[in-house]
């Protein structure tokens, strides 16, 4: 053990008065900060926010957005990409419409389908919020005006087989575990919703927070639960 580690252990565990005084003084130093100075610190905060926002927007316009567009099959107009660039993995083609807003803190992945890439098709005026995970096994279609809140998971493929021996051997998932997902126009998936492979959600339907959708949902309803069931018509 190095000297610094030995000192930390002594300070934390020794019952002597010297160790306790030293430990208390170090903790007070660690938590020390100068008091807020009226006018000066609020002005410094505004300057800091202005600089960071300007820098973030410059990165968005000049770096992240053109890089991400170069990965797409289409060239959408008015794409608003924020918080960096989504992580794109696997064998995947991405088609995107106009006026979309996409969080860079998202993951888009695709499964190779007999050597062909999976397809992610995103319509116009779609929101893909922070920490979304869109796993495309075949096709995922997100139609116009769809809203995906934070931590939505579209599970078009699981990535691993059901059989434990096959998993341990590192084999891929099986074809029967994979399926398309279709979100019709004006669907809204609230925070933490998961949608399983093979599911279609009808036009205008809203799925409540934390729900897991395992089967098709009709248009124009509020659904929720595990598994998600129709709660009422909208």
């Amino acid at each position: 053990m190095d000297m610094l580690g030995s000192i930390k252990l002594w300070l934390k565990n020794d019952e002597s008065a010297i160790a306790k005084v030293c430990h208390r003084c170090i903790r007070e130093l660690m938590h020390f900060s100068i008091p807020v100075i009226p006018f000066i610190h609020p002005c410094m905060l505004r300057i800091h926010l202005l600089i960071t926002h300007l820098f973030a927007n410059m990165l968005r316009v000049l770096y992240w957005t053109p890089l991400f567009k170069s990965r797409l099959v289409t060239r959408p107009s008015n794409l608003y990409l924020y918080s960096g660039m989504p992580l794109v993995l696997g064998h995947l083609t991405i088609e995107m419409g106009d006026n979309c807003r996409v969080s860079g803190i998202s993951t888009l992945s695709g499964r190779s389908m007999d050597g062909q890439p999976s397809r992610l098709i995103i319509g116009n005026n779609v929101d893909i919020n922070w920490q979304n995970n869109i796993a495309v096994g075949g096709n995922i279609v997100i139609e116009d005006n769809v809203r995906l809140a934070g931590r939505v998971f579209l599970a078009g493929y699981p990535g691993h087989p059901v059989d434990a021996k096959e998993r341990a051997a590192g084999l891929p998932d099986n074809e029967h575990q994979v399926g398309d997902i279709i979100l019709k126009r004006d669907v809204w998936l609230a925070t933490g919703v998961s949608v399983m492979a093979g599911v279609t959600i009808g036009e205008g339907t809203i799925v409540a927070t934390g729900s897991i959708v395992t089967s098709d949902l009709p248009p124009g309803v509020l659904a929720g639960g595990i598994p998600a069931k129709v709660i009422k018509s909208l």
Side-chain angles (χ1 to χ4, degrees):
M1 184 180 296
D2 59 19
M3 182 177 293
L4 182 59
S6 299
I7 293 172
K8 286 182 178 179
L9 285 176
W10 173 72
L11 289 171
K12 288 182 178 181
N13 300 315
D14 196 285
E15 294 297 326
S16 67
I18 295 175
K20 290 181 178 179
V21 170
C22 291
H23 187 252
R24 184 171 62 253
C25 290
I26 290 171
R27 286 183 61 85
E28 289 176 356
L29 284 172
M30 288 173 61
H31 292 90
F32 173 77
S33 66
I34 65 171
V36 173
I37 302 173
F39 182 76
I40 293 178
H41 285 113
C43 286
M44 290 174 63
L45 174 62
R46 288 182 174 85
I47 293 169
H48 166 79
L49 292 175
L50 176 63
I51 292 171
T52 54
H53 288 171
L54 285 173
F55 184 69
N57 276 293
M58 287 178 61
L59 275 178
R60 178 180 63 81
V61 171
L62 301 176
Y63 187 70
W64 296 121
T65 301
L67 280 183
F68 183 64
K69 279 186 175 181
S70 72
R71 182 63 175 76
L72 306 179
V73 173
T74 55
R75 293 292 180 267
S77 62
N78 299 322
L79 169 62
Y80 188 83
L81 193 67
Y82 59 96
S83 302
M85 183 173 70
L87 177 63
V88 181
L89 303 170
H91 205 186
L92 179 67
T93 63
I94 306 171
E95 304 167 36
M96 183 176 291
D98 299 330
N99 303 308
C100 293
R101 291 156 297 280
V102 181
S103 169
I105 310 173
S106 295
T107 301
L108 315 175
S109 64
R111 181 186 189 272
S112 181
M113 306 295 290
D114 297 323
Q116 298 300 312
S118 291
R119 295 178 67 199
L120 174 59
I121 303 169
I122 301 169
N124 300 310
N125 188 32
V126 171
D127 280 4
I128 298 175
N129 221 308
W130 56 277
Q131 292 185 356
N132 274 209
N133 185 350
I134 300 177
V136 189
N139 300 284
I140 287 183
V141 179
I142 302 173
E143 294 188 357
D144 297 349
N145 309 323
V146 168
R147 298 292 183 263
L148 305 182
R151 294 187 287 104
V152 166
F153 180 27
L154 304 183
Y157 70 98
H160 299 288
V162 174
D163 184 84
K165 292 182 179 179
E166 292 181 0
R167 275 201 310 276
L171 297 178
D173 48 22
N174 301 305
E175 295 294 330
H176 71 271
Q177 298 174 266
V178 178
D180 295 346
I181 294 173
I182 301 174
L183 307 181
K184 294 291 189 177
R185 288 175 59 93
D186 301 310
V187 163
W188 175 19
L189 304 184
T191 302
V193 169
S194 295
V195 181
M196 299 298 104
V199 166
T200 295
I201 299 180
E203 183 172 334
T205 285
I206 300 172
V207 182
T209 298
S211 301
I212 299 179
V213 187
T214 59
S215 58
D216 293 354
L217 292 174
V221 300
L222 171 65
I226 302 175
K229 305 291 185 183
V230 174
I231 297 172
K232 65 177 182 178
S233 297
L234 297 174

